[in-house]
Amino acid sequence: MKIRDVRATLLRTRSIFVEVETEDGAVGLGECSPMNGPVLAHFVNTALRPLLLGEDPRDIGRLWHKMLTRTYKLGVQGVQPEAIAGVDIALWDLLGKSVGLPVYTLLGGKHRERIQMYASIGGGAALSPAEMAGRVQKALDQGFRAFKIRMDWGVARQNADPAKDLEMFRLCRELIGPDMPLSFDANNGYSVSTAIQQGRRFEALGIVHFEEPIAQYDYAGMAQVAAALDVPISAGEHEYTRWQFRDLILQAQVDIVQPDVVKCAGLSEAQRIAVLAETFNRQFLPHQTQPTLGTAANLHLCCTLPHCTRPQEYTGPRPELEEMFEAPYVFEEGCLQIPDRPGLGLTLKPGALERMAAERG
Ligand code: CA
């Protein structure tokens, strides 16, 4: 079995889908992080493709190592692992489809097949508390029974309006009642002292995890916040490989690690990070904002992890992406069902990729 082609396609939605095609016409599907769209697609098509043509796609570990080491000087945090991610996921999908087994079987076997999802609702910085509560109500109506509100302001705006954030959290808690899980994502926007003060107030209202309370690069500060609060502190969407996650665990002392399979160099490395998390007795809760291939890859790994039992991140159904596939995953009663079809269980309809491709400039 040999690789005949590797193609990354940028979609109109900014998603990047990767196809790995063999000489006999079989195709594996993967996805890269959408954060650096055209740059990432170009990286896959120009830097990774030549390393893969003619190779045996079943040698996933060896090809992962080749991609990492041969493009090392192009940056190990950001574009490089995000590009490798799309190819690596496609290789796992291709292997599963070629042997007729779901990816979760190749990764060790599933512990569960139905995964509860939490509604990940962003844009808090620009919304009033009432507007955010309105979005939570909409997610409740869609069937969600677990929630996270995200501020989305980043490191550029520290402690912009903590009183408003608290009121937003309080209103959302009041709306959903005392029992449904509610999390808060500061998107790196607090100082250490403000994060600790806010965290105590969130704890009093009922919070299940406090995500990226401060700047992601301040490991010492993160450790201070984690030590001061009872609520589990999480981070990891800005980390890429096992070496950064080692530092996040040992230095930042987070309770929950959050790699994203479309950023952290794919399923191969996400599985190693999961082992690392389990070794240090930390919880594993992926960042996942890509609703089709990215979420499918994350869930195939999550269902193989015995302790990965928290509701998983989901930004909600995206019909324009889902209708590209023959049989998209089904979201019902706040849960996604993982199909037992080969690979990731997703196959593109003929012509779907071409119809959704962004215009080439
Ligand atoms: Ca986040």
Side-chain angles (χ1 to χ4, degrees):
M1 193 185 275
K2 281 188 177 172
I3 296 174
R4 178 168 67 191
D5 200 8
V6 176
R7 294 181 296 270
T9 304
L10 180 65
L11 307 186
R12 292 202 296 268
T13 57
R14 296 199 320 157
S15 311
I16 303 168
F17 285 1
V18 176
E19 299 164 285
V20 175
E21 188 181 339
T22 65
E23 283 181 336
D24 62 5
V27 176
L29 295 173
E31 181 166 11
C32 300
S33 168
M35 296 299 173
N36 306 291
V39 177
L40 268 173
H42 189 66
F43 194 108
V44 172
N45 292 332
T46 60
L48 299 182
R49 184 175 181 273
L51 301 175
L52 298 162
L53 296 183
E55 288 279 12
D56 187 332
R58 295 168 296 192
D59 290 355
I60 299 176
R62 184 176 64 77
L63 296 180
W64 188 91
H65 188 258
K66 185 178 184 183
M67 288 190 284
L68 187 84
T69 55
R70 295 280 289 274
T71 61
Y72 190 74
K73 291 184 177 174
L74 299 173
V76 292
Q77 293 196 46
V79 170
Q80 188 224 27
E82 290 175 351
I84 292 175
V87 174
D88 180 82
I89 294 166
L91 291 173
W92 281 100
D93 181 51
L94 182 62
L95 181 61
K97 284 171 175 163
S98 73
V99 298
L101 292 171
V103 167
Y104 60 70
T105 302
L106 306 179
L107 295 175
K110 66 174 187 276
H111 289 266
R112 59 198 77 84
E113 49 201 48
R114 198 164 181 257
I115 309 270
Q116 191 190 0
M117 310 302 286
Y118 72 76
S120 181
I121 307 170
L127 298 177
S128 70
E131 285 169 330
M132 178 59 89
R135 295 192 184 188
V136 169
Q137 180 63 56
K138 203 173 147 203
L140 260 175
D141 296 342
Q142 283 180 297
F144 283 104
R145 292 297 178 266
F147 307 86
K148 179 177 83 186
I149 57 172
R150 313 193 314 263
M151 297 304 105
D152 283 329
W153 50 48
V155 288
R157 291 180 58 190
Q158 197 176 69
N159 301 336
D161 195 349
K164 186 194 104 174
D165 309 338
L166 183 65
E167 175 57 14
M168 186 176 279
F169 188 86
R170 192 196 62 73
L171 207 57
C172 293
R173 172 50 81 199
E174 192 177 277
L175 176 72
I176 62 175
D179 299 328
M180 289 186 210
L182 177 62
S183 301
F184 186 88
D185 187 346
N187 290 109
N188 321 99
Y190 291 144
S191 65
V192 170
S193 58
T194 300
I196 293 170
Q197 288 173 323
Q198 289 287 87
R200 287 190 186 125
R201 294 168 184 141
F202 295 146
E203 284 173 349
L205 293 167
I207 180 172
V208 296
H209 89 263
F210 189 5
E211 185 163 322
E212 293 200 308
I214 65 162
Q216 73 272 17
Y217 45 74
D218 182 4
Y219 285 2
M222 198 78 82
Q224 278 180 275
V225 176
L229 295 175
D230 295 326
V231 56
I233 300 301
S234 70
E237 68 179 87
H238 293 100
E239 314 292 342
Y240 295 90
T241 58
R242 76 198 86 154
W243 300 285
Q244 284 115 42
F245 277 91
R246 171 201 59 197
D247 295 343
L248 191 70
I249 291 171
L250 291 179
Q251 295 175 30
Q253 291 288 330
V254 296
D255 303 286
I256 299 173
V257 297
Q258 299 183 289
D260 188 327
V261 73
V262 303
K263 298 175 80 174
C264 76
L267 277 163
S268 297
E269 191 68 356
Q271 192 178 34
R272 296 180 194 115
I273 293 163
V275 170
L276 187 68
E278 193 176 352
T279 305
F280 285 95
N281 202 22
R282 306 300 158 109
Q283 287 188 294
F284 185 89
L285 180 65
H287 172 262
Q288 55 180 21
T289 56
Q290 302 312 300
T292 58
L293 290 163
T295 290
N298 266 320
L299 293 186
H300 271 259
L301 174 60
C302 287
C303 77
T304 69
L305 305 173
H307 305 307
C308 187
T309 53
R310 283 176 175 257
Q312 298 292 320
E313 183 165 31
Y314 194 40
T315 50
R318 291 275 298 278
E320 78 276 27
L321 288 170
E322 271 134 33
E323 66 190 19
M324 296 175 70
F325 296 94
E326 300 283 1
Y329 284 26
V330 177
F331 179 68
E332 224 169 42
E333 297 174 334
C335 297
L336 281 174
Q337 186 84 23
I338 305 177
D340 57 7
R341 298 187 292 270
L344 296 173
L346 290 171
T347 306
L348 285 166
K349 290 178 187 167
L353 203 53
E354 291 74 13
R355 286 194 292 278
M356 275 297 281
E359 285 188 30
R360 293 169 206 282

